[in-house]
Every structure is written in C-alpha cells, then in structure tokens.
Amino acid sequence: MRVTVSAHEDTPDPRQLLVLAVDDEPHGLAELSHCLMNNANVRRVFSASDASDALRMLSTDDAEVRRRRELGYPAIDAVFADLEMPGLSGMEMSRVFAALDPAPVLVFVTGHAHEAVNAFDLGAVDYVLKPCQQERLDRAVKRVVEKLLSNPIAEAVPGAEPVKNDDEVIPVELAGTTKLIPRSTVRWVEAQGDYARLFTTEGSHLVRIPLAQLEERWEKAGFVRIHRSFLVALPLITELRMGQGGYQVVIGNEEKVLPVSRRHTRELKDRLVGSARNG
C-alpha cells in the first residue's frame, strides 16, 4: 500500500480529507491518486491495488489511522473505488465499508455505468466515469465534504466527543476471499512467527500481525499477555491455577488451558484482581 504522507491531526477535519483510492489497474490508480492529491480538500491519500489490500486499512497500524479509530471516527473519510476488480469486486468491498459504524463516504470511479443504481443503494455520494477528469473528481470530493459536514459523528458542542466504536474488525484472507473478524469474537491469540492465530467462537484464523502489535493495540480492549506466545481476553479467564511447570489459565466454559509464564504471572494476577473489584 502506497501512502502520501502529511501532517498528523488528532481530530479529523471534514474539509481536509484522508481518502483511500482503489483500482487494480496501475495507470487508473495513479491517475485517480494524482487527481485526488490535486484537490485542496484532500490532505492524504492511501492507494490500494485490490479490495483485499483496501480492507487491510481497517486494521492498519498507521499512527494517524489508529488515532482516528481510538477517537471513534472512521479509519478514513472516503473510499474512491473502481468496480471491476479480480477477486472481491469493488461493489462487494464497498458493502463491507458501508456496513461499518461509523462508515466512510463512498464514491465509485469506473468505466461502467450499469452499476450506478446499486452504488447509490449503498449510499454512495457520487459515481464518476473513467477516465478521471480533475474537474469531475473535484465535484465528487465536494460532495464528500458536504456529506461529512451535514452528518457529523458528534454534535459540534464544546466538550462533546464522538461516539466511540470499540469493536475493531480484522480482515482475514481465506481461499481468495476476505473475511472480517470482529475483535469481540476473539477468545485468545497464539503467536506463530511473524503471524498470529486468532481463536474465535467459530474457529481459528491466521493473520499477518505480530502478537506484540496486537498486545499494544488491544490492551485497552481487555486483552492481556500471559505468555510470550499467548494473548488472552481477560473477561474470559475463568480460572488461574497452579499446574505442572507453573501457572495456567482456563478460558471460558470450554476448559481450554493455556500456560502462564513466570514473568507475566504478577501482572495477570493484578489485572484479575482489578477486574474482580470493578465488578
């Protein structure tokens, strides 16, 4: 994913947009990104060559995007997407983005007009036909800004804060498709080299995210490191007991037992005691 970098802002300005351009054709992607960066209301552009790459934006560790998620804003303000792409189509990808809460504004940029009705059914604010023309794309950006200004996440009242969406979504590649895994369904995580395996209520999923990175991102969501190889959802720990070789934890009602390393035992006990005191 290619990124054009600019200054960091904690609070998103709906007139200074963070946008995502998606097109599987290199020339089309370069043209779209160039036109977007030429617009005075666009502050930063992420570029993705397919839908799977675009959906990784939902869990990217980019500092600005992470800060936006923490504040309860969409990871990006708007998605400018082609429709005809191999694998997950632009329309299918956009349905995923449209289902998010909060969701980015959608704009389609394509050489085909037959999907316009479906695009507007998804709430897209514009449907731009290729080849991209600066003036036409500028009008689309203007519509994005108007949409954001007319439907803010939080009322513009001093001291008001946006409603925070706490449940992060993790895109997982599976047999050529992208599946979205809500963090709330993850029970524990096991390190596997530079990857991590997420164990959920329905099975397990391998993602290319180091365990240390998930530990940092998910600490405030109640996940605790119990071992160099394991990260666990604290509320799901039903028992801490001494076993062969040291302490162990039991996860939920499934009697899943995981080891606790000596270096993490004290912190885990403190977290469990603190959790019990808080209800």
Side-chain angles (χ1 to χ4, degrees):
M1 181 175 292
R2 185 174 68 255
V3 177
T4 303
V5 181
S6 62
H8 172 77
E9 290 182 2
D10 280 347
T11 303
D13 183 344
R15 291 156 300 190
Q16 291 293 299
L17 305 175
L18 183 69
V19 302
L20 172 63
V22 190
D23 195 327
D24 65 307
E25 297 178 357
H27 176 73
L29 182 59
E31 186 178 61
L32 175 58
S33 300
H34 176 74
C35 289
L36 286 170
M37 284 306 301
N38 279 344
N39 185 281
N41 287 122
V42 174
R43 188 173 59 82
R44 190 176 179 192
V45 176
F46 287 87
S47 299
S49 59
D50 57 35
S52 296
D53 198 18
L55 290 173
R56 292 190 186 97
M57 278 294 302
L58 298 176
S59 59
T60 179
D61 201 45
D62 177 85
E64 182 177 10
V65 174
R66 184 175 67 247
R67 179 59 176 162
R68 290 171 62 96
R69 289 197 303 254
E70 291 172 352
L71 289 170
Y73 289 92
I76 49 178
D77 293 302
V79 179
F80 289 73
D82 186 18
L83 286 177
E84 302 295 330
M85 293 187 292
L88 198 66
S89 73
M91 188 63 70
E92 292 167 331
M93 176 198 72
S94 297
R95 288 193 178 98
V96 173
F97 279 115
L100 298 177
D101 183 20
V105 180
L106 298 176
V107 176
F108 290 104
V109 183
T110 179
H112 307 277
H114 64 276
E115 290 278 16
V117 173
N118 292 332
F120 289 114
D121 283 345
L122 282 176
V125 299
D126 209 344
Y127 194 95
V128 181
L129 292 178
K130 292 181 178 180
C132 287
Q133 301 293 330
Q134 187 68 54
E135 183 179 355
R136 180 63 183 89
L137 203 63
D138 286 346
R139 293 205 304 271
V141 171
K142 182 180 179 181
R143 291 182 179 179
V144 171
V145 173
E146 290 172 347
K147 174 74 171 179
L148 292 171
L149 289 173
S150 65
N151 188 29
I153 295 176
E155 296 294 334
V157 177
E161 294 184 0
V163 177
K164 188 174 181 179
N165 179 21
D166 288 327
D167 200 7
E168 182 181 335
V169 179
I170 306 94
V172 175
E173 305 292 334
L174 182 64
T177 64
T178 301
K179 184 175 182 180
L180 299 179
I181 307 299
R183 184 183 57 204
S184 59
T185 66
V186 178
R187 305 175 74 76
W188 75 90
V189 186
E190 182 177 359
Q192 295 189 358
D194 291 333
Y195 291 74
R197 183 168 292 279
L198 311 178
F199 289 85
T200 71
T201 52
E202 298 180 351
S204 68
H205 308 276
L206 192 66
V207 294
R208 192 169 186 174
I209 307 175
L211 191 68
Q213 189 178 119
L214 287 178
E215 177 187 10
E216 180 182 350
R217 277 166 48 178
W218 291 4
E219 180 182 6
K220 293 181 180 178
F223 281 78
V224 60
R225 188 76 169 262
I226 64 168
H227 189 275
R228 68 180 181 181
S229 298
F230 293 102
L231 185 67
V232 176
L234 188 68
L236 299 182
I237 296 177
T238 56
E239 186 178 338
L240 173 65
R241 66 191 185 195
M242 178 62 75
Q244 292 184 347
Y247 278 100
Q248 301 170 332
V249 293
V250 179
I251 308 298
N253 298 321
E254 61 213 51
E255 294 296 316
K256 176 64 181 179
V257 178
L258 297 174
V260 180
S261 65
R262 183 175 302 175
R263 63 174 294 202
H264 291 101
T265 300
R266 172 50 57 191
E267 179 187 0
L268 177 60
K269 287 182 177 180
D270 291 344
R271 293 283 296 273
L272 287 170
V273 170
S275 178
R277 287 175 178 171
N278 290 330

